[in-house]
Amino acid sequence: MPASRLLRSRTANASSASSIGVALCRFTPGSTKYGERFPASKPLRNTYRKVGSRKAQYRVWAGECFDMKTQKRYKKFTQREWYLPQSKILIADGWSIPGLEKIIASASWK
């Protein structure tokens, strides 16, 4: 999928990952048994956050890994996303990396 199409779909109330189809579950590397999806049509949180001197749209999505044969949920997770519309930069964190929000808030631009 072209990046421009992905970014257009990103602004339309959907997780960045949901626009690229089914991905393999991030918690089961090397296994094709589980996929991941973002079942909700709206984010858990939708606000703005500081990214250095710029303002980013900040969303938190509920995601889940599921058995691709039975469609049953295997594991739940959240994915945080910071999107800077002017720069068309998307920062996605599907691992809940400790301290990442503070690092992003203090980013510098050159």
Side-chain angles (χ1 to χ4, degrees):
M1 172 181 292
S4 60
R5 185 169 165 218
L6 176 62
L7 291 174
R8 274 196 307 274
S9 65
R10 166 67 185 90
T11 61
N13 218 15
S15 159
S16 63
S18 66
S19 60
I20 58 174
V22 176
L24 296 178
C25 178
R26 62 190 73 195
F27 301 104
T28 56
S31 171
T32 57
K33 181 178 180 181
Y34 300 103
E36 64 180 48
R37 60 189 172 200
F38 295 86
S41 63
K42 294 190 178 194
L44 298 171
R45 297 189 68 197
N46 186 8
T47 186
Y48 290 90
R49 295 282 169 93
K50 184 179 170 191
V51 176
S53 60
R54 300 179 188 189
K55 191 176 183 180
Q57 180 181 26
Y58 175 76
R59 291 180 174 176
V60 178
W61 294 93
E64 63 186 27
C65 290
F66 67 99
D67 185 305
M68 289 202 267
K69 287 185 181 175
T70 66
Q71 299 296 306
K72 290 185 179 180
R73 184 174 58 215
Y74 163 70
K75 186 172 180 82
K76 294 189 323 183
F77 62 92
T78 57
Q79 178 163 301
R80 303 182 296 173
E81 297 178 351
W82 294 260
Y83 179 64
L84 295 115
Q86 285 185 313
S87 313
K88 296 186 178 168
I89 294 173
L90 173 65
I91 302 166
D93 172 30
W95 295 100
S96 299
I97 298 170
L100 181 60
E101 190 161 2
K102 194 178 270 188
I103 293 167
I104 290 171
S106 64
S108 62
W109 299 89
K110 296 184 180 192

